[in-house]
């Protein structure tokens, strides 16, 4: 393996001005002069881009500009001792030690592990003090090599090549420091990819333990420095801490048992936490990735305070106990759990497009009337705020208040909503692929979604190639599997930088695209046609039965997998039907929304009618249940179901089934996929909507009261 640093990459007493960008350029020149850069300009551009996301100055006079770049083919570290120091954005002042860390795009795990070891070493005062006192480039190289646990490269004169920056290596009179002395301080954990369980001792019985996740945009330096700082602070506090570093060198996820035993979690991240739902319900301390480097002791103290008093702590969204769902006894994800995670990832990213787009289309209809569908594009092209359309002249007979201005606003909202809808199928496919293959899967996944939604509007006698949400699921899975397989292939060093940005998206899009168009497209299009015909033929008893089934699914697990399946089915349908005047998908959406509103409202009503059957905490939850249910947040019923599942769940399922069936029977339709009672303007058949909701609420509340009254007296719980 090529040495990370050589004497050619060291400069002592470098005078490169007072601007950090000049220092980065000079360090890139050092890399180029040492023959380690394939493109100096690309290296500089990538380092500048990383610097824009957040400052790379650290406490203690250290700067670590870094990047993943196609400008180098091997991991490279350039070091400079700056005279005078230069401001890199640290709170305590300018930096006199600067490292430029350049990792090749698509570099392998071994190289990235070395870089993460260095990142951890930089928070050790003994190491940085030794760098300040080093008298030669050879001594700096020895210090770094010793800290990384690899042999130092053969000594060679640190004479820069012609044209090197003015801060060339200069001899100094400082006394040589033994590298062994420089390694004292907080012990490293052995680098990224180490088992998180090894980062701290097991918690003794009765001792509060903590877990943490660290992550930064590039996943090279701050991720591991934050982890090291938190581990050192936890050691000082005598608290067991296990850290999951979600960096470029990969990560070993914390086990479900470790997470379950922890009193609180610390998120020190500048990007999203992977599989955040594992920590659902945990007291949480959250910050950017730089805060632990500056203030790790305070973060540990804050986490301990939250662990001691969870009631006052912010918590990770979701219900406690969900983290282990879909995992086996050994903490490994089961196939069922993986399938659910992949599909729910796609759905969770799809829903905002459907929700925002649906509400904007509904608002467009409210302001301009349904006739706006035929006129919105012409209004957008021909009119403006200073040249409003004549609503009555162009046939917008149902524009709100007959207003030309509102008709124009409605047209704009309709266009924006339609645009949002155009992305929901590509988003579903793209993020299914992302859940399987991470970032390399996103682009080909979106391409498969574009094919599924027929984004180019290829038309003919057959609906092919439009395959709808089923095609998006199949295409997303295909793209994810192919991209994941390609990402695991060993390739020459020169090709690593091309893999994530060119090879994987190109090959995956071609292979998956051919499979979708040639093999799977027509069968899926036929299946979608059959499904559409079946929905259009729903009437009478069959429609009511479907509403009952959807109602049962919505109430059974109140936001869980079955609930999400029913909601996803309805939301995907309304995404393609919101512009129509009478589509079965709108009726399905109404049944699902109304059925999901019933459980919290029914339980809230029950606490009012028979408060003595509920504990004080449940009565308080009942007060919130009115608003949660009205907003279509079914999870408002979870506290009641968790306390008494055998009585509560059957009762609310019955209420939701009644509502779903009545909604379908009365042909209620909803054009918005969320919002509950607050989107009545998007409802077709408002009276039926309210009747179905009220009937289900009454049935659910009465059954809850009856079941809770069997064999119990009010006094049993009134004082709890």
């Amino acid at each position: 393996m090529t040495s990370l640093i050589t004497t050619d990459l060291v400069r002592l007493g470098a005078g490169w001005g007072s601007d950090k960008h000049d220092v980065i350029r000079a360090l890139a020149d050092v890399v180029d002069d040492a023959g380690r850069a394939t493109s100096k300009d690309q290296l500089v551009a990538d380092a500048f881009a990383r610097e824009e996301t957040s400052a790379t100055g650290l406490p203690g006079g250290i700067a670590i500009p870094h990047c993943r770049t196609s400008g180098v083919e091997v991991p490279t570290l350039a070091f400079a001792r700056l005279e005078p120091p230069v401001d890199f954005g640290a709170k305590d002042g300018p930096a006199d030690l600067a490292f430029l860390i350049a990792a090749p795009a698509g570099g392998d795990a071994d190289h990235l592990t070395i870089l993460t070891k260095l990142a951890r070493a930089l928070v050790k005062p003994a190491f940085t003090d030794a760098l300040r006192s080093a008298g030669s480039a050879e001594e700096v190289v020895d210090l770094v090599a010793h800290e990384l646990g690899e042999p130092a490269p053969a000594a060679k004169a640190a004479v820069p090549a012609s044209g090197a920056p003015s801060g060339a290596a200069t001899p100094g009179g400082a006394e040589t420091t033994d590298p062994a002395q420089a390694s004292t301080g907080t012990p490293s954990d052995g680098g990224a990819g180490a088992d998180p369980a090894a980062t701290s001792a097991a918690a003794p019985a009765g001792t509060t333990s903590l877990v943490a996740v660290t992550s930064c945009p590039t996943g090279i330096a701050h991720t591991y420095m934050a982890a090291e700082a938190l581990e050192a602070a936890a050691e000082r506090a005598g608290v067991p801490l296990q850290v999951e570093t979600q960096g470029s060198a990969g990560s070993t996820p914390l086990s479900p048992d470790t997470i379950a035993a922890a009193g609180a979690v610390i998120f020190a991240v500048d990007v999203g936490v992977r599989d955040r739902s594992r920590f659902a319900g945990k007291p949480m301390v959250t910050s950017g990735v730089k805060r632990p480097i500056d203030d790790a002791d305070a973060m540990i103290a804050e986490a301990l305070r939250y662990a001691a008093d969870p009631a006052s702590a912010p918590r990770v969204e979701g219900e406690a106990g969900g983290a282990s769902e879909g995992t086996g006894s050994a903490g490994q994800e089961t196939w069922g759990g993986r399938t659910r995670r992949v599909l729910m990832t796609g759905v969770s990213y799809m829903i905002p497009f459907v929700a925002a787009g649906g509400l904007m289309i509904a608002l467009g209809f409210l302001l301009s009337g349904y006739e706006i569908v035929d006129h919105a594009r012409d209004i957008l092209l021909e009119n403006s705020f200073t040249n409003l359309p004549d609503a009555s002249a162009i046939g917008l007979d149902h524009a709100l208040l007959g207003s030309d201005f509102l008709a124009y606003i409605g047209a704009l909202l309709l266009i924006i909503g339609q645009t949002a809808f155009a992305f929901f199928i590509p988003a579903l496919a793209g993020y299914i692929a992302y859940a399987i293959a991470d970032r390399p899967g996103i682009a080909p996944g979106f391409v498969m979604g574009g094919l599924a939604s027929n984004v180019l509007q290829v038309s003919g006698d057959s609906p092919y190639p439009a395959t709808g949400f089923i095609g998006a699921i199949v295409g997303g899975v295909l793209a994810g599997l192919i991209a994941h397989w390609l990402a695991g292939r060993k390739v020459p060093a020169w090709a690593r930088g091309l893999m994530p940005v060119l090879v994987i998206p190109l090959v995956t899009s071609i292979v998956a695209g051919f499979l979708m168009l040639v093999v799977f497209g027509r069968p899926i299009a036929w299946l979608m046609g059959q499904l559409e015909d079946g929905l259009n033929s729903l009437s009478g008893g069959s429609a009511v039965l479907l509403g009952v089934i959807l109602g049962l699914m919505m109430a059974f697990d109140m936001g869980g997998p079955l609930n999400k399946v029913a909601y996803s089915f309805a939301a995907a349908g309304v995404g393609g039907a919101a512009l129509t005047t009478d589509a079965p998908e709108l009726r399905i959406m109404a049944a699902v929304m109304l059925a999901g509103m019933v459980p919290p409202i029914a339980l809230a009503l029950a606490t009012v009618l028979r408060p003595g059957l509920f504990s004080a905490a449940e009565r308080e939850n009942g007060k919130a249940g009115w608003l949660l249910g009205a907003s279509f947040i079914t999870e408002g019923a979870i506290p009641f179901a968790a306390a008494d599942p055998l009585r509560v769940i059957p009762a609310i399922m019955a209420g939701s089934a009644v509502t779903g069936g009545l909604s379908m029977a009365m042909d209620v339709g909803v054009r918005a996929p969320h919002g509950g009672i607050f989107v009545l303007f998007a409802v077709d058949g408002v009276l039926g909507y309210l009747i179905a909701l009220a009937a289900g609420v009454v049935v659910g509340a009465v059954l809850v009261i009856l079941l809770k009254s069997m064999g119990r007296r009010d006094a049993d719980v009134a004082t709890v």
Side-chain angles (χ1 to χ4, degrees), residues 100-182:
L100 175 61
I101 305 174
D108 61 37
D110 290 340
H111 285 140
L112 292 169
T113 297
I114 290 176
L115 292 174
T116 60
K117 285 184 181 180
L118 175 69
R120 287 178 174 271
L122 290 174
V123 300
K124 303 176 182 179
F127 177 58
T128 53
D129 289 346
L131 290 173
R132 287 189 173 91
S133 62
S136 66
E138 290 84 352
E139 193 173 340
V140 170
V141 172
D142 288 343
L143 285 166
V144 173
H146 181 275
E147 192 63 39
L148 300 182
E150 61 176 11
K156 59 188 291 186
V159 179
S162 174
S166 59
T170 57
E175 189 177 35
T176 300
T177 302
D178 184 356
Q181 296 173 352

Side-chain angles (χ1 to χ4, degrees), residues 167-447:
T170 57
E175 189 177 35
T176 300
T177 302
D178 184 356
Q181 296 173 352
S183 67
T184 59
T186 305
S188 173
D189 71 346
D195 183 355
T199 62
S200 69
T207 301
T208 299
S209 63
L210 304 174
V211 292
V213 176
T214 61
S215 181
C216 69
T218 53
I220 295 174
H222 286 89
T223 298
Y224 303 96
M225 298 176 75
E228 183 77 12
L230 286 170
E231 288 164 0
E235 185 176 351
R236 288 191 294 272
V239 180
L241 170 72
Q242 298 186 23
V243 183
E244 179 179 315
T245 51
Q246 296 185 352
S248 295
S251 66
T252 301
L254 295 163
S255 72
D257 290 341
T258 298
I259 296 171
V265 60
I266 297 171
F267 292 143
V269 297
D270 285 340
V271 295
V273 177
R274 298 174 199 159
D275 295 331
R276 184 184 177 101
S277 61
R278 294 173 295 156
F279 305 92
K282 287 288 180 188
M284 168 183 64
V285 176
T286 184
S287 75
V289 74
K290 287 193 68 177
R291 186 188 170 197
I293 301 170
D294 297 331
D295 201 16
D297 293 303
M299 293 189 74
I300 295 293
E302 188 176 352
L304 290 174
R305 186 167 66 252
Y306 287 158
D309 184 15
S312 66
R315 292 176 178 266
V316 182
E317 60 279 0
E319 288 297 313
S324 60
E325 186 174 328
T327 58
S329 58
Q332 298 299 315
E333 192 174 31
T334 64
W335 278 105
R338 181 178 301 175
T339 301
R340 175 183 175 273
R341 175 180 60 80
V342 166
L343 293 178
M344 288 302 102
T345 298
V347 169
S348 67
Y349 282 101
M350 174 199 81
I351 286 174
F353 291 95
V354 178
L359 287 171
M360 283 187 283
I361 288 174
L363 286 170
F365 286 152
L366 173 68
L367 298 179
S368 304
Y370 294 126
E371 302 91 345
I372 192 62
V373 172
D374 299 323
H375 302 284
R377 298 192 182 197
D378 291 338
I379 290 174
L380 176 67
L381 296 173
E382 299 173 7
N383 298 105
S384 67
F385 282 109
T386 58
N387 178 29
L388 295 173
D390 187 336
S392 59
I394 61 177
L396 299 182
D397 298 329
H398 296 89
L400 188 65
L401 304 178
S403 168
D404 295 341
F405 175 76
L406 293 180
Y408 179 66
I409 296 297
L412 298 184
L413 287 171
L414 183 71
I415 293 292
I416 298 171
Q418 287 177 299
T419 303
F421 262 4
F423 285 101
F424 92 86
I425 286 180
L428 175 63
Y431 286 102
I432 284 175
Y434 165 75
I436 297 172
D438 214 317
R439 294 180 188 177
I442 290 181
F446 265 84
V447 173

Side-chain angles (χ1 to χ4, degrees), residues 20 51 54-59 62-63 86-95 290 294:
K20 66 179 181 179
E51 199 72 23
S54 63
T56 55
L58 303 174
I62 304 166
V86 177
D87 184 9
F88 274 79
K91 294 179 181 179
D92 62 346
K290 287 193 68 177
D294 297 331

Side-chain angles (χ1 to χ4, degrees), residues 538 540-555 566 569 587-596 653-665:
L538 284 177
S542 60
V544 172
L545 178 61
L546 178 60
V548 169
I549 293 171
L550 291 172
L552 292 171
M553 293 173 69
M554 289 300 294
F569 173 65
R587 293 156 60 197
I588 291 171
M589 188 70 250
V592 165
M593 183 183 293
L594 285 165
M653 287 178 66
S656 291
V658 168
T659 290
L662 283 175
S663 174
M664 295 293 281

